[in-house]
Amino acid sequence: MICEVHVTEPSVDQVRIGVMGGTFDPIHNGHLLAAEEARCNFNLREVIFVPSGHPPHKDVRRISSPEDRFRMVSLAVGGNRFFRVSRIEMDSPGPHHTVDTIGNLIKQYGPRVSFYFITGIDSVLQIMSWKSPLRLAEVCRLVAVSRPGYNLDRIRDLPEEVRASVRVLEIPLMAISSTDIRNRVREGRSVRYLVPDPVHRYLLERGLYRC
Ligand code: ATP
């Protein structure tokens, strides 16, 4: 039996705000393009970047300090008046789950705001392993942006209750990942133009990812 789920779009007088969560180790141009495309396509008033405090799925000993990651995100978003950065996860004890972070933002911003959680298709396809995926799909829209190597059609594999919340967004594909940037720096290769210039300068000055 096909179960129809009706999701009401936010009314016109509701403010839409994007949230881009990530480890951002480091933030790169793929993140920024995804956020900007989502902002324009979904008429978002702003996009809040939320560097993770303690991501439950990553080995915390192997990632750069929250302060370094926060600084790099701040430098990266500085040139866009619609972009903000939040310490909401960094300043509270972890582990942090997206559903709780969005819940806290809802408390902070009030009921007139609809949140759009912007995430790569790779992450959306993992969503059933996150905390309370059905609840997350209820409290915000999930914007699944295209990423090289992932087929957007795989959204069909998600349960209907989650799928109903997903808005697929095709963006110009950028084959960039933070892992690749860290590897390049370690190998002494250039990462210029893969990350914004101020981030490039910062990671070189701080000697990040050298070993
Ligand atoms: P890592 O390589 O360390 O796993 P990452 O490049 O995937 O990092 P994250 O900080 O983990 O970056 O990602 C934050 C969000 O940005 C995720 O939802 C991810 O899918 C998305 N994202 C990352 N890189 C891209 C890209 N090149 N294009 C579109 N979305 C991306």
Side-chain angles (χ1 to χ4, degrees), residues 20-26 28 30-31 34 58 118-123 145-148 171 174-180 182:
M20 178 106 196
T23 314
F24 302 126
D25 191 21
H28 54 68
H31 297 129
K58 291 201 178 173
I118 305 160
T119 171
I121 176 74
D122 55 313
S123 302
V145 301
S146 50
R147 200 171 173 181
I171 65 169
M174 275 198 174
I176 310 180
S177 71
S178 300
T179 303
D180 181 42
R182 294 193 300 272

Side-chain angles (χ1 to χ4, degrees), residues 153-179:
D153 291 344
R154 287 201 43 216
I155 291 291
R156 275 196 304 237
D157 301 340
L158 294 173
E160 175 56 30
E161 301 92 315
V162 173
R163 217 164 59 215
S165 167
V166 174
R167 304 290 177 271
V168 171
L169 178 61
E170 288 201 51
I171 65 169
L173 294 180
M174 275 198 174
I176 310 180
S177 71
S178 300
T179 303

Side-chain angles (χ1 to χ4, degrees), residues 69-85:
R69 292 183 290 113
F70 175 80
R71 284 287 301 145
M72 288 189 282
V73 175
S74 303
L75 290 167
V77 306
N80 187 325
R81 70 190 173 93
F82 300 106
F83 286 178
R84 319 254 176 274
V85 53

